[in-house]
Amino acid sequence: MAAPLADRIRPQTLDQIVGQRHLLGEGRPLRRIIESGEIPNLVFYGPSGVGKTTLASIIAKRTKKHLCKLNGTSASTADIREVVSKVGTLEAVNGILLYLDEIQYFNKKQQQTLLEFIENGDITLIASTTENPYFYVYNAILSRSTVFEFKTVAPEEIVPAVERAFHILSEEQGKPVEAEEAALHRIAFACGGDVRKAMNAAELCTLAAPETDGVLHVSAQLAAELTQSSAPRYDREGDEHYDIVSAYQKSMRGSDPDAALHYLARLLAAGDLPSACRRLMVCACEDVGLAYPQIIPIVKAAVDAAQMVGLPEARIPLADAVILVCQAPKSNTGEASIDAALTDVQAGKIGSVPRQLQNKHYDGEDAARKGQFYKYPHAFPNHWVAQQYLPNILQGTVYYTPGDNKFEQSFATYWERVKGKKPQAQK
């Protein structure tokens, strides 16, 4: 069985690698390190299909080191020891370069096993991960390695690679493969920045292309049909998930409906309805809040409707609610106020509940003044009466300061009149 096209046409030089110019462009640090021939331990961090494995192979060839590949999802400590057993042999006369893919799946003990050998220089480690290495890689390995972040490859950089793929496929098929310009762009844009996925899509299009007069024709329609199920890059447990939901909420907070709808679409395309609903509900409370209090039940109704009808129809009430949140005035006074109160509580500033607020109707022998003396606000004009509510230690503390929106200002004006004092200005 033939290897996938992405493996058959894997770049052989640094200049053939698609994207990553910030790392491999002329004069960039990683390129200078590679060209020096003295390779330190490295950690490549970034999404799949962007050249991490390819670069490790190129480094091994340039340094003439024996390349060993392990995958963190399946490799064991015994596999590491087998690699170590090759140290000093004729097979690895110039040293060993161990490429450990998905290192985040190695447990702490397995990662510790590597330390002795990468520290004494017997093995040069290049580890790759799709997750943030500072969260998943053992600190002792990080301190002995240099981390380089690989970026998602832009579609315009992938188009030439797709053209090259069709050229090679034409040679392999023994007949011309003609791809429409629109087909090239469709494949490049549909792969979500994953070059490997683009190569596989090109191969699939070639296999499915109709033949006319000995020529295989790849139309834009064929490319669309074969790439339409190509889901955007997304992992519900990985960095990409948290990046998307963060961008989703920050776009709503920033009142940008177009960006918010884009990230909503990415969540829904990945089938992540729960995250789309949860962040929307949080944003309505946290970022709109008291500037438009009615938005909370409105968004809750939209979320309930979305969960009731499910996808794909759920996109409609969610889009309505996302646009409403974006366009609504903003206030975070509710969040800021409760956070300030929590800070005091966590710092131990609590004190005893004032006697008049306690839930008891008797006094102990030690009570200097008998009676609860609670004043029922509804028995007074405007349903308010001055009395102490905060514990003694917190008297005078202000957690809530009205925002500068019309709702909070109207409430503040009302209580200024009732209480006979001017509310504090917005900070």
Side-chain angles (χ1 to χ4, degrees), residues 15-318:
D15 291 328
Q16 289 178 346
I17 294 178
V18 177
Q20 314 312 325
R21 293 301 93 192
H22 66 294
L23 299 177
L24 302 175
E26 289 294 337
R28 303 306 298 172
L30 181 55
R31 186 180 186 118
R32 291 202 305 270
I33 290 171
I34 296 169
E35 290 175 341
S36 75
E38 297 295 327
I39 309 299
N41 299 307
L42 303 171
V43 175
F44 294 163
Y45 160 46
S48 59
V50 295
K52 301 189 297 296
T53 302
T54 295
L55 183 56
S57 299
I58 291 173
I59 291 173
K61 289 179 181 178
R62 289 183 68 108
T63 58
K64 295 182 170 55
K65 290 182 180 292
H66 178 65
L67 178 63
C68 295
K69 295 182 180 180
L70 295 178
N71 191 291
T73 60
S74 56
S76 64
T77 303
D79 294 319
I80 298 174
R81 297 195 182 282
E82 183 178 348
V83 171
V84 172
S85 69
K86 298 178 182 180
V87 172
T89 65
L90 289 176
E91 186 179 13
V93 66
N94 292 314
I96 292 176
L97 189 150
L98 171 60
Y99 179 65
L100 178 55
D101 196 12
E102 305 291 359
I103 189 176
Q104 73 269 19
Y105 291 108
F106 257 27
N107 60 37
K108 186 174 181 179
K109 182 177 179 181
Q110 289 173 310
Q111 293 188 37
Q112 285 177 320
T113 304
L114 292 171
L115 283 177
E116 175 187 348
F117 305 105
I118 66 174
E119 197 163 32
N120 61 22
D122 288 341
I123 290 177
T124 299
L125 174 69
I126 297 182
S128 74
T129 175
T130 55
E131 306 294 346
N132 191 326
Y134 298 102
F135 294 158
Y136 292 95
V137 180
Y138 186 42
N139 284 336
I141 288 182
L142 284 179
S143 68
R144 293 163 176 80
S145 307
T146 303
V147 178
F148 289 97
E149 182 177 2
F150 285 58
K151 306 287 188 180
T152 298
V153 183
E156 56 271 20
E157 293 183 282
I158 297 177
V159 170
V162 176
E163 289 182 295
R164 177 169 172 259
F166 280 121
H167 177 72
I168 292 174
L169 286 165
S170 178
E171 293 178 345
E172 292 182 349
Q173 294 288 330
K175 61 187 71 172
V177 178
E178 293 184 355
E180 295 178 2
E181 188 73 17
L184 299 177
H185 286 272
R186 172 70 192 199
I187 293 171
F189 275 83
C191 69
D194 186 328
V195 181
R196 185 188 300 115
K197 184 182 290 186
M199 298 300 97
N200 293 339
E203 185 170 30
L204 190 61
C205 286
T206 302
L207 294 174
E211 183 175 341
T212 304
D213 298 328
V215 178
L216 297 175
H217 295 276
V218 178
S219 66
Q221 181 180 351
L222 177 63
E225 291 174 356
L226 294 177
T227 59
Q228 63 182 347
S229 61
S230 179
R233 188 187 304 278
Y234 191 75
D235 178 357
R236 293 194 190 191
E237 299 299 326
D239 288 349
E240 192 73 12
H241 162 77
Y242 294 106
D243 286 346
I244 290 174
V245 294
S246 176
Y248 174 52
Q249 184 168 350
K250 287 173 181 173
S251 297
M252 286 188 283
R253 179 184 299 143
S255 304
D256 188 329
D258 300 308
L261 288 169
H262 168 76
Y263 294 114
L264 172 64
R266 289 173 69 168
L267 289 170
L268 298 183
D272 194 355
L273 183 59
S275 292
C277 291
R278 178 181 178 275
R279 287 296 181 120
L280 174 59
M281 198 72 244
V282 169
C283 196
C285 298
E286 176 184 344
D287 299 306
V288 178
L290 295 173
Y292 179 30
Q294 299 94 322
I295 201 169
I296 296 174
I298 293 173
V299 170
K300 177 62 166 59
V303 166
D304 288 346
Q307 293 174 333
M308 181 181 71
V309 301
L311 290 170
E313 290 81 2
R315 75 191 189 284
I316 303 169
L318 291 183

Side-chain angles (χ1 to χ4, degrees), residues 329-346:
K330 304 296 189 292
S331 173
N332 71 333
T333 55
E335 181 204 20
S337 301
I338 186 59
D339 285 351
L342 283 169
T343 297
D344 275 354
V345 170
Q346 291 162 357

